[in-house]
Amino acid sequence: MDAKSSYILSESFMITYNILYSMSSTPIISQLINLKCTACSKKYEIHRPINLCECGKVLFAVYNLEEAKETVTKESFCKRTRSIWRISEIMPVYEEKFRFTLGEGCTPLLHLKNMGENLGLKQLFVKDEGLNPTGTFKSRGLCAAVSKAVELGIKEFVIPTAGNAGAALAAYSARAKAKAHIFMPVNTPEIIKKEILATGGDLRLVDGIISDAAKEARKEAEKSEWFNMSTLKEPYRVEGKKTMGLELAETFNWELPDVIIYPTGGGTGIVGMWKAFTELEEIGLIGSERPRMISVQSSGCAPIVKAFEEKKDKASFWEGAETIAPGLKVPEAIGDYLILKAVRVSKGTAISVQDEEIMTAMYELAKKEGIMLSTEGAATIAAIPKLLNKGEIEKEDKIVVFGTGSGFTTISLW
Ligand SMILES: *Cc1c(COP(=O)(O)O)cnc(C)c1O
Ligand SMILES: [Zn+2]
């Protein structure tokens, strides 16, 4: 090839490249319009930081879905970023420079063929959230919440946590040049403490469990005006977790699975996915069918299961919570009414498993599939034989369990 034609070739390559590049880098516009209370429907504007509604209940972000429809199309996805910002039309951050990322989201959906054979299930899948940057799906929620808060001008956060949310807050705060104050039970796994210290979090160890940490955090927050990042006590962590639902829909080619089995603590994952499905239906990407949402808790802390069985629409405080699954040691959830609604409306159920069953499932999955889940994720696997027995799931069902964290986060238990 002579110099001239190679020049022309490289020039045409550059032109094509520039066009493609400018197409893919056109900022996607967030269609966030306001916040609305999930209990009393009161609306709030979005230009200043806010935690809960005046009535004390959870606020949800509302989007202009008619506008979002224009650009959120099945064809539009191939060139999009692989992070939680993939469908930024229905994410809360306006300016691209505030859409921080550490590569969270777009986790693999793995077919559990060996495990499924054993259980007689042909279509058993795990969404492996352990591959998120901080080893759990908490990356998603805190990525969204930190990004939005920083866009609103906040630079200092406080969080009560069973561990993983603290690690994620510390990491995303480092990324966004903000400060994270983390209140966490003293017996949280060492690896999580180290992760928080490594990423510059201000770690305060508290005697007791997450509800005790929450009291300390609240006191400090009132004194200092640090912004409270407790789950569902600010409106945007749930937006990050919503992306799990968006990804499931996309991965299954816009037909949702029959069943989702989810290890429930604060419930943000279930509530977030449920919101995602509502928005996707309004945009026109999915129909009205929903998976049965199944909430799994540890028998040592099962307030949602108890409320479900007692047909209540809110849960009461679980005294003396004790389980090897730190993320499930949550004795009360502010979004209890939202979790219970999603479970009931979807004709799902709530079920508890013993710690020993969790450990057995954790080892079995690792041996059979090479996948090391954290104790919380393994709880979903432990629930399967019980759900089959009770007729809550059937052999033909397409089932997705959520491996919410990497085995490394609870490695001290192996
Ligand atoms: C926080 C956490 C949970 C519970 O998640 P929610 O969405 O708050 O119910 C489950 N698994 C792991 C690993 C967690 O860190
Ligand atoms: Zn309200």
Side-chain angles (χ1 to χ4, degrees), residues 40-331:
C40 75
S41 298
K42 185 176 160 73
K43 286 185 180 163
Y44 293 84
E45 57 104 350
I46 60 264
H47 301 293
R48 61 183 180 84
I50 188 162
N51 287 106
L52 292 168
C53 178
E54 276 167 18
C55 79
K57 297 293 183 188
V58 177
L59 293 173
F60 265 4
V62 180
Y63 299 88
N64 182 342
L65 297 172
E66 279 305 309
E67 277 299 318
K69 234 183 224 171
E70 299 293 313
T71 50
V72 184
T73 58
K74 291 178 191 174
E75 300 72 39
S76 70
F77 288 112
C78 57
K79 285 197 224 74
R80 292 192 173 201
T81 168
R82 296 190 64 78
S83 76
I84 64 158
W85 305 109
R86 192 163 170 77
I87 314 190
S88 282
E89 289 93 338
I90 50 172
M91 288 294 282
V93 177
Y94 294 118
E95 281 198 65
E96 224 176 14
K97 68 174 181 197
F98 294 118
R99 290 175 192 162
F100 294 100
T101 184
L102 292 168
E104 61 297 314
C106 294
T107 52
L109 183 79
L110 305 170
H111 185 199
L112 299 180
K113 197 157 172 289
N114 307 335
M115 196 77 197
E117 254 164 29
N118 248 41
L119 294 159
L121 300 170
K122 284 208 174 59
Q123 304 192 79
L124 178 63
F125 300 84
V126 63
K127 180 87 169 145
D128 190 356
E129 292 293 302
L131 278 94
N132 275 298
T134 60
T136 72
F137 75 133
K138 292 291 195 302
S139 296
R140 297 178 186 260
L142 273 309
C143 174
V146 167
S147 296
K148 185 63 196 178
V150 171
E151 184 173 63
L152 290 170
I154 311 168
K155 284 287 191 170
E156 205 154 0
F157 308 119
V158 61
I159 199 168
T161 174
N164 294 326
L169 179 66
Y172 285 93
S173 296
R175 187 74 161 172
K177 295 188 185 157
K179 184 80 195 160
H181 304 277
I182 292 148
F183 290 76
M184 192 165 89
V186 66
N187 63 359
T188 306
E190 283 305 308
I191 189 168
I192 300 177
K193 293 181 193 163
K194 287 183 179 164
E195 198 181 345
I196 290 170
L197 294 172
T199 47
D202 165 30
L203 181 58
R204 317 279 183 98
L205 296 174
V206 177
D207 275 327
I209 62 171
I210 189 171
S211 43
D212 304 297
K215 278 181 212 139
E216 290 298 312
R218 205 177 313 128
K219 259 192 265 166
E220 291 292 325
E222 277 161 14
K223 274 202 295 217
S224 54
E225 299 190 338
W226 298 338
F227 187 70
N228 191 341
M229 284 287 205
S230 290
T231 201
L232 291 172
K233 290 189 181 167
E234 64 74 57
Y236 300 113
R237 274 176 69 176
V238 68
E239 293 302 295
K241 291 205 177 174
K242 181 175 90 178
T243 59
M244 295 188 293
L246 303 178
E247 285 169 27
L248 270 192
E250 189 188 356
T251 313
F252 281 114
N253 200 23
W254 313 104
E255 282 199 20
L256 299 174
D258 301 306
V259 177
I260 290 178
I261 309 182
Y262 190 88
T264 311
T268 323
I270 287 194
V271 172
M273 283 192 276
W274 196 247
K275 184 172 191 283
F277 300 150
T278 307
E279 290 171 0
L280 286 178
E281 185 181 355
E282 276 191 50
I283 287 172
L285 283 180
I286 62 168
S288 59
E289 298 215 342
R290 295 288 180 274
R292 305 198 295 284
M293 306 297 279
I294 298 183
S295 163
V296 179
Q297 297 195 302
S298 161
S299 52
C301 180
I304 299 297
V305 178
K306 183 162 183 283
F308 180 80
E309 285 170 352
E310 293 173 354
K311 301 191 163 49
K312 300 209 170 110
D313 46 17
K314 62 192 290 314
S316 30
F317 190 92
W318 188 277
E319 297 292 344
E322 190 49 60
T323 162
I324 48 165
L328 305 187
K329 209 149 104 184
V330 182

Side-chain angles (χ1 to χ4, degrees), residues 13-30:
F13 167 75
M14 280 311 292
I15 292 168
T16 318
Y17 176 81
N18 283 340
I19 291 170
L20 280 177
Y21 185 74
S22 64
M23 275 167 63
S24 64
S25 69
T26 307
I28 299 172
I29 296 167
S30 166

